[in-house]
Amino acid sequence: MDKAKEYTKPPIWVGALIGAVFTPALMAIMYLGEAFASLPFAPFDLFNWIARVMPGQLITFGIDRMIDILLLLGQGANLDQTAKTAEEMMGLAVFWGMGIVAGAVFFFVMNRWVNISNVNLAGIALGLAFGLPLQLVISTVNVSSSASEIVQIVWTVLLFLGWGMVIAWAYTMLAMFSNATEENPEISAQGIDRRQFLVRVGGASATLTVIGAGLGAVLRNGPGQGVPAAIALDATQATTDGAGNPLPNVDALVQAVPGTRQEYTPIPDFYRIDILSGGLPSIPEDYTLPVTGLIANEVDWTLDEIKELPATEAFLTMSCISNRIAGSLISTTKWTGVSFQEILEIVQPDENAVAIKIVGYDDFDEYVSLDMIREDDRIMLAYYFNDEPLPLRNGFPLRIHIPDRYGMKQPKWIRSMEFVSEHEPGYWVRRGWSRDAIVNAVSVIDTVSTQSAYQQDGSWVIPVGGMAWAGDRGISKVEISIDGGEWVEADLRDPLSQRSWTIWRYEWPFEEGPHTFAVRAYEADGTLQPTATRGTRPDGATGIHEVDEIVMEPTPAEPADA
Ligand SMILES: Nc1nc2c(c(=O)[nH]1)N[C@H]1C(S)=C(S)[C@@H](COP(=O)(O)O)O[C@H]1N2
Ligand SMILES: [Mo]
């Protein structure tokens, strides 16, 4: 009788059980690795990744239900902490579930298609099939590890190979430990059957899990340990750009307070200002951009030809000069286009050319000086917002972006570009608005977030949040003053870029009653923003933003039926 026929195939549910038994031990070892050597902790990475690719409402719904459960268990003292715990528990649950499914699938595949003599190979395949995609996810998201990528990969692959082999081993043992012991006298001599085997490996795995998790927790809390990457995600905020890539600051530790504006403006919400207001210009299907005037090489580019030129992209905040303090005529997205320096290189301006006259399909016109272009390679002829062609309302097919200038200097719907010998005043300059339209530093309070209140050492804390922006000059500090008191520093979130706004938050020690909240910001070089209140015309608004609010005692979140 050949060996393959001696064993009894263990049922699939036993495979699920084996997955359920061994996956926690795997998690515990990963946890230990994270605490000990900052190796990746796959369950949190995985959950973070899922949270990015799944619809936001689904994730929030899941987190809310989990928070409900934690509150029921009396774990709801600090809402922020509770939300974080909820996310982490979901991460663990999802990972465990995948381990269970993997165990069941493995047993199914073994029973049906694979000869038991190949069980170790199958175990290796299982480990790789689970581990490699996970390592990919870990590399994309990487919220949990500061180890080098190669170390991460080796660690993950070894761990999952080990896990796959252990499951393969368990399969072999179960196949041999028939419950009908007289069928297999050799085994029955050891006096062990499937049930006993399951109990033993379950006990061993549980012990390993408890030791690993306990040791990991101790290590994590030790002095000098870095902040473990918690997945504190505000599900209303975008985490990826239009191409599906994580936003540049996705790992920033400081999170926007709920109620803060969208850091990455959804394209339909991007503000719109132009002399057409209502209608939209019609752009010919066979659009080309004529570049003419005082240049050696006149061109008439199709959009495709422009997209073939070296591309550049940047996360940019743009504002209208008519935006009031805390107004909504300001937005942020990722811009893609061609540096105007590339264009100069190709068309070769004459010596007497000083500016480009840009005209839009609505006859709006502005002039851009060649000196400025030569000094600043960031000036961009843009064709994408958020990795998609510009929406018609925001300037399809082409618009210019000039760092540190208000929108009025930056034509949309570009119809033509002409190199000229005189820098004349553009559309809005002729109507009395600023000649240079340089952005003023501003800061804004978006929310005093009573719905995000939490308790710390028995007192309520209410997060206050908003943004600060200083064109291309960056923000180094934001300060808050309550009821005219001293200015205290807020926490700054890493911005999307030096040229985007900076989201900030301040943990306000709650005091009941009416309060005035004020904010001010400093540019990267330490310059305080203009604090004098000034209207929009002609040079853009300045001044301190203040918010008056009557803040009542927050009520602790409680389960509805408690
Ligand atoms: N062709 C054209 N370009 C234009 C304008 C315009 O009226 N016509 N308005 C400018 C102004 S004042 C602003 S604030 C920005 C607004 O760009 P948005 O509508 O995409 O936000 O476009 C600028 N470019
Ligand atoms: Mo504007």
Side-chain angles (χ1 to χ4, degrees):
M1 196 196 265
D2 84 327
K3 199 169 185 284
K5 285 191 185 129
E6 282 172 25
Y7 74 95
T8 359
K9 293 173 174 176
I12 290 160
W13 68 263
V14 175
L17 205 62
I18 285 295
V21 161
F22 285 118
T23 308
L26 174 70
M27 292 195 274
I29 296 172
M30 283 190 293
Y31 184 66
L32 204 60
E34 194 229 328
F36 193 64
S38 189
L39 290 158
F41 186 62
F44 291 174
D45 286 333
L46 177 68
F47 183 73
N48 206 287
W49 179 77
I50 292 172
R52 283 175 204 180
V53 297
M54 286 217 312
Q57 310 91 293
L58 212 67
I59 292 291
T60 349
F61 177 81
I63 291 173
D64 280 350
R65 294 294 75 72
M66 191 61 90
I67 290 175
D68 290 347
I69 294 171
L70 288 170
L71 289 171
L72 269 171
L73 297 173
Q75 298 291 310
N78 172 331
L79 253 187
D80 277 11
Q81 186 58 45
T82 310
K84 208 172 77 194
T85 312
E87 289 162 19
E88 294 183 347
M89 292 188 56
M90 284 172 72
L92 297 178
V94 166
F95 192 87
W96 193 35
M98 287 179 59
I100 293 172
V101 171
V105 169
F106 182 78
F107 276 47
F108 177 77
V109 171
M110 281 303 299
N111 288 350
R112 278 216 131 162
W113 293 302
V114 184
N115 189 290
I116 194 158
S117 57
N118 292 326
V119 70
N120 285 337
L121 265 181
I124 290 173
L126 171 71
L128 293 181
F130 198 177
L132 289 183
L134 247 156
Q135 180 54 46
L136 250 175
V137 165
I138 291 169
S139 302
T140 342
V141 181
N142 190 21
V143 292
S144 66
S145 177
S146 60
S148 84
E149 182 122 24
I150 184 76
V151 173
Q152 288 186 31
I153 293 172
V154 170
W155 169 248
T156 308
V157 168
L158 284 181
L159 267 184
F160 278 85
L161 280 183
W163 174 84
M165 297 292 285
V166 167
I167 291 193
W169 168 79
Y171 179 87
T172 318
M173 298 309 264
L174 288 162
M176 285 162 59
F177 298 155
S178 163
N179 284 325
T181 46
E182 68 266 29
E183 275 176 22
N184 204 327
E186 209 183 306
I187 304 297
S188 72
Q190 290 174 16
I192 181 169
D193 64 8
R194 273 183 187 161
R195 183 184 308 172
Q196 284 168 307
F197 175 77
L198 283 171
V199 168
R200 283 191 196 182
V201 295
S205 177
T207 311
L208 195 61
T209 306
V210 169
I211 292 174
L215 212 58
V218 170
L219 281 170
R220 260 168 97 123
N221 293 331
Q225 291 291 322
V227 183
I231 33 168
L233 98 175
D234 172 359
T236 71
Q237 293 278 351
T239 54
T240 54
D241 64 20
N245 297 311
L247 294 175
N249 62 348
V250 76
D251 293 330
L253 287 174
V254 176
Q255 300 282 322
V257 173
T260 307
R261 73 192 53 216
Q262 294 293 305
E263 180 179 38
Y264 191 62
T265 312
I267 294 301
D269 298 344
F270 204 98
Y271 85 92
R272 178 190 173 189
I273 285 290
D274 45 65
I275 53 177
L276 291 179
S277 297
L280 286 165
S282 52
I283 311 296
E285 293 241 341
D286 55 351
Y287 173 84
T288 56
L289 172 68
V291 185
T292 59
L294 307 170
I295 48 178
N297 310 313
E298 294 203 338
V299 291
D300 193 12
W301 278 318
T302 65
L303 207 47
D304 283 340
E305 286 168 332
I306 290 171
K307 286 178 189 167
E308 276 162 22
L309 301 175
T312 151
E313 58 183 40
F315 290 83
L316 302 172
T317 296
M318 182 179 64
S319 170
C320 182
I321 198 166
S322 297
N323 194 35
R324 299 180 192 180
I325 298 301
S328 58
L329 304 179
I330 181 167
S331 302
T332 300
T333 195
K334 179 177 162 190
W335 298 55
T336 306
V338 185
S339 167
F340 266 81
Q341 287 187 354
E342 292 285 347
I343 295 171
L344 294 203
E345 196 64 37
I346 294 166
V347 302
Q348 294 295 322
D350 297 352
E351 255 164 48
N352 56 340
V354 302
I356 311 176
K357 178 184 186 184
I358 304 183
V359 183
Y361 274 93
D362 55 351
D363 292 330
F364 178 92
D365 64 301
E366 247 307 340
Y367 290 74
V368 190
S369 101
L370 297 190
D371 283 346
M372 191 158 85
I373 291 174
R374 290 191 178 105
E375 276 164 27
D376 189 345
D377 67 357
R378 301 170 304 172
I379 298 172
M380 184 197 294
L381 181 65
Y383 44 78
Y384 285 165
F385 261 17
N386 189 34
D387 301 295
E388 301 271 3
L390 290 172
L392 186 52
R393 60 201 296 280
N394 299 113
F396 180 86
L398 292 167
R399 68 185 300 169
I400 185 176
H401 186 270
I402 308 171
D404 214 30
R405 308 290 160 137
Y406 285 113
M408 60 166 273
K409 302 296 289 184
Q410 322 201 21
K412 311 191 278 191
W413 304 311
I414 296 178
R415 186 175 63 202
S416 63
M417 303 206 305
E418 183 188 359
F419 283 69
V420 293
S421 59
E422 229 172 306
H423 190 143
E424 289 181 44
Y427 185 96
W428 283 118
V429 181
R430 296 196 295 277
R431 287 159 179 79
W433 288 83
S434 173
R435 203 188 154 89
D436 296 319
I438 293 177
V439 167
N440 301 304
V442 289
S443 52
V444 176
I445 298 168
D446 285 336
T447 179
V448 176
S449 189
T450 46
Q451 77 275 15
S452 312
Y454 60 92
Q455 277 183 313
Q456 200 162 56
D457 307 325
S459 318
W460 284 104
V461 175
I462 294 183
V464 181
M467 71 82 175
W469 186 54
D472 70 345
R473 299 170 329 258
I475 295 292
S476 60
K477 186 157 77 168
V478 168
E479 292 176 329
I480 309 300
S481 162
I482 287 122
D483 303 323
E486 64 171 327
W487 291 95
V488 283
E489 212 172 322
D491 292 322
L492 302 187
R493 174 172 167 79
D494 295 340
L496 287 162
S497 82
Q498 158 105 7
R499 286 186 274 164
S500 80
W501 50 30
T502 296
I503 301 295
W504 57 264
R505 63 181 291 154
Y506 173 66
E507 314 303 309
W508 175 54
F510 163 78
E511 271 178 69
E512 193 170 58
H515 296 289
T516 302
F517 301 82
V519 62
R520 68 182 185 189
Y522 295 77
E523 300 185 9
D525 70 358
T527 310
L528 177 62
Q529 71 167 75
T531 54
T533 301
R534 196 180 73 188
T536 57
R537 194 181 167 92
D539 292 311
T542 64
I544 300 274
H545 185 221
E546 286 189 358
V547 170
D548 293 315
E549 256 183 71
I550 300 167
V551 194
M552 301 311 291
E553 171 90 32
T555 36
E558 263 168 16
D561 51 358

